Amino acid sequence: MGNQSIKTQVYESVLKDILDGVYQPNAVINEKTLMEKFGVSKTPIREALVQLCSEGYIKNIPRFGYQVTSITPKEILEILEFRKVIELGALEKMIMELTKEEIEVLKELNRQVELVDNQHEVKLHWALNQDFHKKLCSFSKNRYLEKALEDSLRVCSRISNQYYVKVWENKHEGAYNHRKLVQAIEDRDIERAKEILAEDIEELMKNRVW
């Protein structure tokens, strides 16, 4: 296996651990630990960590290691504002063209969320919630919108782990907004659908712990 493949494997593994909250904000990741974990040399490990630094997930502290960055309240507001621009724009573009089959796909995805809604499985709930939003955006048939949403949801995953997991173990809105959203889409009520979608995105701001 070449260095590039190893580097990719390390990058994806560390990124997943950051997004899943295995590495909490301010946690330190060092090269030696990863070298032992993956059984590889320093070069692909460092390349993976440098890429994560360039993407803002970690920062290099000389003679100390790589520290997982925290997300500030200001950044949360900015990413939610960005999501609303992306998702409401995509919704407006597609709503009149969505087929019955596509609407049924959204209903089924929401049913999956509802199944775990009262089980306090926060990470599973969040993953299913992301699937719903990504699928809805995909119906815009615009790969740039899809990529922008994918990137912003990664940030939101970090936000949920940093600020909300303990809160949501006891309380979260669940699938109700999605149910209302799908109904508004089915009714072709653009303004109502956009209003509900905006409220759903802003749900991340409720029960703030900062």
Side-chain angles (χ1 to χ4, degrees):
M1 182 182 292
N3 272 355
Q4 187 60 32
S5 297
I6 297 172
K7 174 248 181 179
T8 299
Q9 180 185 348
V10 174
Y11 167 84
E12 290 178 349
S13 177
V14 175
L15 176 59
K16 183 177 185 303
D17 284 346
I18 292 172
L19 296 179
D20 288 348
V22 176
Y23 292 122
Q24 289 291 312
N26 301 317
V28 175
I29 304 171
N30 63 67
E31 294 176 354
K32 183 178 179 182
T33 300
L34 293 179
M35 289 168 61
E36 292 172 353
K37 176 180 178 179
F38 290 95
V40 299
S41 67
K42 180 181 290 188
T43 299
I45 298 293
R46 180 165 293 177
E47 288 175 350
L49 294 175
V50 166
Q51 182 175 343
L52 289 165
C53 280
S54 71
E55 294 172 355
Y57 293 105
I58 57 178
K59 60 182 177 182
N60 184 13
I61 303 177
R63 297 181 298 279
F64 185 65
Y66 295 83
Q67 188 174 52
V68 178
T69 56
S70 297
I71 298 177
T72 66
K74 182 176 184 293
E75 290 173 311
I76 295 174
L77 293 172
E78 289 175 346
I79 197 65
L80 296 184
E81 183 178 71
F82 182 58
R83 275 190 62 188
K84 284 192 287 186
V85 170
I86 296 166
E87 295 190 63
L88 270 62
L91 178 63
E92 189 167 14
K93 177 182 184 296
M94 86 192 46
I95 189 170
M96 302 307 293
E97 300 173 358
L98 280 174
T99 65
K100 290 181 179 180
E101 290 74 19
E102 288 170 334
I103 291 173
E104 285 302 316
V105 169
L106 295 174
K107 288 181 179 179
E108 177 54 34
L109 285 172
N110 192 52
R111 279 192 286 269
Q112 293 176 28
V113 178
E114 290 178 334
L115 287 174
V116 301
D117 209 27
N118 297 314
Q119 298 175 20
H120 304 298
E121 294 286 345
V122 179
K123 291 187 177 181
L124 177 57
H125 186 278
W126 174 247
L128 293 171
N129 179 70
Q130 288 185 88
D131 289 344
F132 179 92
H133 284 268
K134 286 190 284 189
K135 179 57 70 174
L136 178 60
C137 187
S138 75
F139 291 144
S140 70
K141 299 176 175 60
N142 185 310
R143 58 182 175 168
Y144 296 102
L145 287 173
E146 291 184 64
K147 176 63 166 58
L149 179 59
E150 179 77 34
D151 291 342
S152 64
L153 285 172
R154 284 185 173 187
V155 178
C156 289
S157 290
R158 296 175 64 202
I159 293 168
S160 70
N161 281 306
Q162 182 174 333
Y163 288 104
Y164 297 103
V165 167
K166 292 301 181 184
V167 174
W168 287 356
E169 282 177 355
N170 300 311
K171 179 181 179 181
H172 55 78
E173 287 295 318
Y176 183 53
N177 281 340
H178 290 177
R179 197 184 319 146
K180 293 190 299 181
L181 174 59
V182 174
Q183 185 59 59
I185 290 172
E186 198 165 25
D187 294 339
R188 311 297 176 176
D189 188 338
I190 297 176
E191 294 309 315
R192 178 63 176 150
K194 288 169 65 177
E195 177 186 350
I196 296 167
L197 181 54
E199 289 175 358
D200 188 57
I201 294 169
E202 291 167 358
E203 182 68 28
L204 200 60
M205 290 294 294
K206 292 187 178 179
N207 302 311
R208 290 180 293 179
V209 293
W210 69 81

